[in-house]
Amino acid sequence: MSEHPAPNPISLGYLLPTREQIMRGVHDTAPLLDAARHAETLGFDSLWVGDSLFARPRHDPLTLLAALATATQQPRLGTAVLLPALRNPVLLAQQLATIDQLSSGRLIVGAGIAADAPPIHAEFRAAGVPFEKRVGRFVEGFNLCRALWRGEPVDWDGRWTLEQATLAPQPVQPGGPPIWLASSVDAGVARAARLFDGWFPIGPDAATIARQQQLLEATAAAADRPRPATAVYLTLCIDDDAKRAEQAIDDYLTDYYQMPAAIMRRVQACCGGTETQIVDFLQSFVDAGADHLVLRIVGDQTTSLRTLAQLKELLQPR
């Protein structure tokens, strides 16, 4: 009688507060590196950094990941999420390969096409990149990165032109670091299943993730590809007073995005409450099909990290 394979354990990731530091006027990177080391000692499986120029100013994610690669030994390191369209893909391929080498193959590239909003348009203009046709630029740019990561001379005739170009260094991970597409719309889910290594939604709720997980799996099967990883970006506040925790999240979202919290809650999965409520919230996304939970913490980072590390043992893989 054959045994069923054991379910994969759930991975917990910690989003470092790069934006929050800047909002408080703290530009020093030492607290971020200390927080990363603390999360590693607690057993967090991954560490993440965001990306923005002017819309939500923060530290450059690739430079910071290089520092994290030498400051830590075990956790995976990733972007949540990178805007690759702001960068030349040839230079990006070299930067990501270098970080993968520095981290001994721990890099994950979470990436998105960018939201259609005035502050994002301004970032594209500042970087000298057209906002239109950004999906095609995103896909071609990563196709070019992957071609360069194979270590063979590359000829390319598209948005970029290369003639017998060979990239060095090569990434540690064969074929390059995994690319997880950030999208919460069905077209993006299907694109992740056909073209990329993971799907990285930000919400809005577990029921939607469960429905889209079925689309992801069906599309990958139809394309004869392995099911991509599913990582969900979640915002949490742990407090014995659930009403106070929810209010803290509302205040945080309003300050962070400069728009009403109710609008952001329509597209982002958030939960404020007791430890039991937080576990139930996290488990709902595990049940929906998530392999990896990337957590943005509202409130005391140190105490919350310790609590979440303990709560991880209560999560039951699907």
Side-chain angles (χ1 to χ4, degrees):
M1 183 175 178
S2 61
E3 295 183 359
H4 293 290
N8 293 325
I10 299 304
S11 295
L12 280 192
Y14 170 46
L15 182 73
L16 291 169
T18 56
R19 170 66 177 139
E20 294 83 344
Q21 291 271 96
I22 296 297
M23 289 168 66
R24 294 196 300 270
V26 179
H27 295 230
D28 186 8
T29 55
L32 296 171
L33 298 181
D34 288 343
R37 295 186 190 99
H38 179 58
E40 179 177 25
T41 63
L42 292 172
F44 274 76
D45 302 286
S46 59
L47 302 167
W48 301 82
V49 295
D51 183 22
S52 183
L53 282 173
F54 307 127
R56 292 183 285 277
R58 64 183 75 217
H59 302 78
D60 170 67
L62 301 182
T63 310
L64 186 55
L65 283 179
L68 290 170
T70 60
T72 64
Q73 300 296 320
Q74 298 298 324
R76 301 297 299 268
L77 306 174
T79 47
V81 296
L82 186 73
L83 300 181
L86 300 180
R87 299 163 173 88
N88 178 289
V90 178
L91 296 176
L92 180 61
Q94 184 189 43
Q95 291 170 315
L96 294 175
T98 300
I99 296 170
D100 203 49
Q101 284 288 342
L102 284 168
S103 65
S104 301
R106 291 185 282 142
L107 180 62
I108 298 170
V109 183
I113 63 170
D116 189 356
I120 305 299
H121 284 254
E123 289 191 336
F124 274 65
R125 287 195 299 273
V129 178
F131 191 77
E132 296 73 21
K133 299 182 179 180
R134 65 195 189 281
V135 174
R137 191 178 301 108
F138 180 100
V139 172
E140 183 184 349
F142 275 126
N143 284 341
L144 178 51
C145 286
R146 285 167 161 170
L148 290 166
W149 289 335
R150 288 196 287 268
E152 302 169 354
V154 173
D155 290 310
W156 200 270
D157 185 14
R159 289 178 174 84
W160 303 274
T161 302
L162 283 73
E163 296 180 0
Q164 292 293 289
T166 304
L167 180 73
Q170 288 293 295
V172 172
Q173 299 177 83
I179 299 166
W180 293 1
L181 175 61
S183 180
S184 295
V185 300
D186 287 359
V189 176
R191 190 176 300 118
R194 292 193 310 267
L195 302 175
F196 297 104
D197 308 295
W199 171 47
F200 199 174
I202 198 167
D205 52 56
T208 302
I209 297 299
R211 179 186 64 78
Q212 292 181 319
Q213 180 70 21
Q214 293 180 344
L215 172 62
L216 183 81
E217 295 177 4
T219 305
D224 196 24
R225 300 188 73 231
R227 180 182 75 80
T230 297
V232 185
Y233 181 118
L234 305 170
T235 299
L236 306 177
C237 180
I238 305 173
D239 194 311
D240 289 339
D241 186 328
K243 184 176 180 180
R244 183 170 58 199
E246 290 288 355
Q247 185 60 55
I249 290 178
D250 284 347
D251 294 343
Y252 172 90
L253 293 174
T254 301
D255 193 27
Y256 192 101
Y257 294 103
Q258 294 298 297
M259 62 177 60
I263 294 176
M264 300 311 303
R265 282 182 178 266
R266 293 185 198 134
V267 295
Q268 296 192 12
C270 305
C271 180
T274 65
E275 294 181 14
T276 298
Q277 290 171 312
I278 293 297
V279 168
D280 290 344
F281 176 73
L282 297 178
Q283 184 64 50
S284 71
F285 287 92
V286 174
D287 293 341
D291 312 296
H292 207 125
L293 305 177
V294 176
L295 309 180
R296 178 171 64 172
I297 296 171
V298 175
D300 184 273
Q301 302 282 310
T302 302
T303 302
S304 297
L305 281 174
R306 188 180 306 113
T307 299
L308 288 165
Q310 295 168 347
L311 296 180
K312 179 185 177 182
E313 298 179 1
L314 302 178
L315 299 177
Q316 298 298 317
R318 189 171 85 163

Coordinates of all heavy atoms in Angstrom, one line a residue, residues 4 34 40 55 64 73 83 87 95 100 106 128 145 163 188 195 205 213 216 221 233-234 267 271 297 300 317:
H4 N 0.8 8.4 1.0 CA 0.6 9.7 0.4 C 1.8 10.5 0.8 O 2.3 10.5 1.9 CB -0.7 10.3 0.9 CG -1.9 9.6 0.5 ND1 -2.4 9.7 -0.9 CD2 -2.8 8.9 1.1 CE1 -3.5 9.0 -1.0 NE2 -3.8 8.5 0.2
D34 N 19.6 44.5 11.4 CA 19.3 43.9 12.7 C 18.0 43.1 12.7 O 17.9 42.0 13.2 CB 19.3 44.9 13.8 CG 20.7 45.5 14.1 OD1 21.7 44.8 13.7 OD2 20.8 46.6 14.7
E40 N 15.8 35.8 11.2 CA 16.5 34.6 10.9 C 16.7 33.7 12.1 O 16.5 32.5 12.1 CB 17.9 34.9 10.3 CG 18.7 33.6 10.0 CD 20.0 33.9 9.3 OE1 20.6 35.0 9.5 OE2 20.5 33.0 8.6
A55 N 6.9 57.3 -5.4 CA 5.6 57.0 -4.9 C 5.5 56.7 -3.5 O 4.7 57.2 -2.7 CB 4.9 55.9 -5.8
L64 N 20.0 46.7 -1.1 CA 19.7 46.2 0.2 C 19.8 44.7 0.2 O 20.3 44.1 1.2 CB 18.4 46.7 0.7 CG 18.0 46.4 2.1 CD1 19.0 46.8 3.1 CD2 16.6 47.0 2.5
Q73 N 22.4 34.0 6.6 CA 22.9 32.7 6.0 C 21.8 31.8 5.5 O 22.1 31.0 4.5 CB 23.7 31.9 7.1 CG 24.9 32.7 7.7 CD 25.9 33.0 6.7 OE1 26.2 32.1 5.8 NE2 26.5 34.2 6.7
L83 N 9.8 46.4 -9.5 CA 9.3 47.0 -10.8 C 10.4 46.9 -11.8 O 11.1 47.9 -12.0 CB 8.8 48.4 -10.5 CG 7.7 48.6 -9.5 CD1 7.3 50.1 -9.4 CD2 6.5 47.8 -9.8
R87 N 14.1 49.4 -15.0 CA 15.5 49.0 -15.1 C 15.8 48.4 -16.4 O 15.0 47.6 -16.9 CB 15.9 48.1 -13.9 CG 15.7 48.7 -12.6 CD 15.7 47.6 -11.5 NE 15.7 48.2 -10.1 CZ 14.6 48.6 -9.5 NH1 13.4 48.4 -10.0 NH2 14.7 49.1 -8.3
Q95 N 22.7 42.3 -12.1 CA 22.5 42.6 -10.7 C 21.9 41.4 -10.0 O 22.4 41.0 -8.9 CB 21.6 43.8 -10.6 CG 22.3 45.1 -11.0 CD 21.3 46.3 -11.1 OE1 20.2 46.1 -11.6 NE2 21.7 47.4 -10.5
D100 N 22.4 36.6 -6.5 CA 22.2 35.2 -6.3 C 23.5 34.5 -5.9 O 23.6 33.6 -5.1 CB 21.7 34.6 -7.6 CG 21.0 33.2 -7.4 OD1 20.1 33.2 -6.5 OD2 21.3 32.3 -8.1
R106 N 20.0 32.0 -2.9 CA 18.8 32.2 -2.1 C 17.8 33.2 -2.6 O 16.8 33.5 -2.0 CB 19.2 32.6 -0.6 CG 19.9 31.6 0.2 CD 20.2 32.0 1.6 NE 21.3 32.9 1.7 CZ 21.3 34.0 2.5 NH1 20.3 34.3 3.3 NH2 22.4 34.7 2.6
G128 N 12.5 57.5 -17.4 CA 12.6 57.6 -18.9 C 12.0 56.4 -19.6 O 12.5 56.0 -20.6
C145 N 16.5 38.3 -19.6 CA 17.3 37.9 -18.4 C 17.6 36.4 -18.4 O 18.7 36.0 -18.2 CB 16.5 38.3 -17.1 SG 16.5 40.0 -16.7
E163 N 24.2 41.4 -29.5 CA 24.9 40.6 -30.5 C 25.9 39.8 -29.8 O 26.9 40.3 -29.3 CB 25.5 41.5 -31.6 CG 24.5 42.2 -32.5 CD 25.1 43.1 -33.5 OE1 26.4 43.0 -33.6 OE2 24.4 43.8 -34.3
G188 N -3.4 37.9 -15.0 CA -2.1 37.8 -14.4 C -1.8 36.4 -13.8 O -0.7 35.9 -13.9
L195 N 4.1 31.3 -17.7 CA 5.4 31.9 -18.1 C 6.4 32.0 -16.9 O 7.6 32.1 -17.1 CB 5.3 33.3 -18.6 CG 4.4 33.4 -19.9 CD1 4.2 34.9 -20.3 CD2 5.0 32.6 -21.0
D205 N -8.8 38.4 -0.5 CA -9.3 37.6 0.5 C -9.0 36.1 0.2 O -8.7 35.8 -1.0 CB -10.8 37.8 0.8 CG -11.6 37.7 -0.5 OD1 -11.5 36.7 -1.2 OD2 -12.3 38.7 -0.8
Q213 N -6.4 30.1 -7.4 CA -5.5 29.0 -7.3 C -6.0 27.9 -8.3 O -5.1 27.2 -8.9 CB -5.5 28.5 -5.9 CG -4.5 27.3 -5.6 CD -3.1 27.7 -5.7 OE1 -2.7 28.9 -5.6 NE2 -2.2 26.7 -6.0
L216 N -4.8 28.9 -11.6 CA -3.4 28.7 -11.7 C -3.0 27.3 -12.1 O -2.3 27.0 -13.0 CB -2.7 29.2 -10.4 CG -1.2 29.1 -10.4 CD1 -0.6 30.4 -11.0 CD2 -0.7 29.0 -8.9
A221 N -1.4 23.1 -15.8 CA -1.5 21.7 -16.3 C -1.8 21.7 -17.9 O -1.2 20.9 -18.6 CB -2.7 21.1 -15.6
Y233 N 0.8 38.0 0.0 CA 1.3 39.1 0.8 C 0.2 39.6 1.7 O -0.9 39.9 1.2 CB 1.7 40.2 -0.3 CG 2.3 41.5 0.2 CD1 3.5 41.9 -0.2 CD2 1.5 42.4 1.0 CE1 4.1 43.1 0.2 CE2 2.0 43.6 1.3 CZ 3.3 44.0 0.9 OH 3.8 45.2 1.3
L234 N 0.5 39.5 3.0 CA -0.6 39.8 4.0 C -0.1 40.8 5.0 O 1.1 40.8 5.4 CB -0.9 38.5 4.8 CG -1.3 37.3 3.9 CD1 -1.4 36.0 4.7 CD2 -2.7 37.6 3.2
V267 N -8.4 45.7 -1.9 CA -7.5 44.9 -2.8 C -6.4 44.2 -2.0 O -5.6 43.4 -2.5 CB -6.8 45.9 -3.8 CG1 -7.9 46.4 -4.8 CG2 -6.1 47.1 -3.1
C271 N -5.5 41.7 8.5 CA -6.2 41.2 9.7 C -5.5 41.8 10.9 O -4.3 41.7 11.1 CB -6.1 39.7 9.7 SG -6.9 39.0 11.2
I297 N 4.1 43.6 8.9 CA 3.6 43.8 10.3 C 3.4 45.2 10.6 O 4.2 46.1 10.4 CB 4.7 43.2 11.3 CG1 4.9 41.7 11.0 CG2 4.4 43.5 12.7 CD1 6.1 41.1 11.8
D300 N 4.5 46.7 16.8 CA 5.8 46.4 17.3 C 6.4 45.2 16.5 O 5.8 44.1 16.6 CB 5.7 46.0 18.8 CG 7.1 45.7 19.4 OD1 7.5 44.5 19.3 OD2 7.7 46.6 19.9
P317 N -0.5 22.5 6.7 CA -0.4 22.5 5.3 C -1.5 21.9 4.6 O -2.2 20.9 5.2 CB 0.9 21.8 5.0 CG 1.7 21.8 6.3 CD 0.7 21.8 7.4

